[in-house]
Amino acid sequence: MNNRQLFLQHLAQTTDFPLMIEVEKAEGIYLFGPKGEKYIDLISGIGVSNVGHRHPKVLEAIQTQLDKYMHLMVYGEYVQSPQTELAKAICNTLPSTLDNVYLVNSGSEAVEGALKLAKRHTGKRNLISCVNAYHGSSHGALSVGGNEIFKRAYRPLLPGVSNIRYGVLEDLALIDNETAAVIMETIQGEAGIRVATKDYFKALREKCDETGTLLILDEIQCGFGRTGKFWAFEHFEIVPDMIVCAKGMGGGMPIGAFIANKEVMGAFKNNPLLGHITTFGGHPVSAAASIATIEILQKESLIDQVESKANLIKSLLVHPKIKGIRNKGLMMAVEFGSFDELKPIIDRAIELGVITDWFLFCDDSMRIAPPLTITEDEIRESCSIILQAIKEVSGDLK
């Protein structure tokens, strides 16, 4: 059997209609197929490849670490320099109140750890998340998700979870003295790139302080430079009690983290000890790749270029079929009239060599989240192809 047949026969499927793009190699913003196909990855593997595919400095860091050691021991027992150096590098990007990093394997695991920590530290059991939030697919992460379509088949989930509307000030009244934590995407991703106001976040911070509630900001998609600042919460002049991150932090390697202050994180050490355990969390090869990713973002000034690149995309993607573009930096949603209108455009763009997508909870909008390394010429090429797809699908070939 060929690879496509093996994929369908032996790999567990998540839908009846996978994209079935076969990839032989990736480099920069491009994916290459076995028959010479070439695609621009305009979604970065869903927000992962912030520094592009196979960045030379990431590959060098991986190879250097491979020559030393790989997995040695479950997380938290041995002193391993990739872990300690990464934790320091992350903390150097953050306010001093966020000084303790727990390294895990993925965004979902980071969310699981953060929810456990909030309950353990506060002694409370209730959690609040947002309507149309997405925090992952594991049991606890799904529990604080905000869309019933994805949850109903797996109930009962965690008890004590309530939803508020993202960005709606009056809903903050639901946060009370029995709330252990509010978990919220700083920028809502799967809802179609929704951005709350600075005043909203300040009111949220005040309400959490009043009620002794921990504020957990989910920066799994929006962190590591995606919005034009290293962390998206920097746009809103507040500091959370915890951050969860993953995706763009590993340069293409699997890694995640939840971050708090040392006192809060200390709740995992006693009653019971080993309050959170991960075998492969902070894998030294992934940690080395993450250190390199941070250095690339900072030394190549990629974050400083985000806003101008986003503005270029917005200036180029102009067509009557496009109803508007929502964005925070290079986290973008291009709105069309409906999913039925959008889906053929996405399909045709892929055929023409540009990979885009839609959003789980916003299927009338096209996801654009390119590697931050994308050049202006590559942006122009990508947008030209998208416009060509729109014209072909709509029958407007002028």
Side-chain angles (χ1 to χ4, degrees), residues 41 43-49 190 220-221 247-248 357-358 367 369:
D41 181 6
I43 53 175
S44 304
I46 311 296
V48 169
S49 302
E190 297 308 320
I220 292 168
Q221 283 198 56
K247 286 190 179 289
D357 197 8
W358 63 92
R367 183 197 306 266

Side-chain angles (χ1 to χ4, degrees), residues 98-119:
L98 292 163
D99 62 358
N100 217 244
V101 180
Y102 195 119
L103 296 171
V104 291
N105 300 283
S106 69
S108 289
E109 191 186 348
V111 169
E112 297 285 346
L115 296 179
K116 286 175 62 180
L117 183 59
K119 289 183 173 182

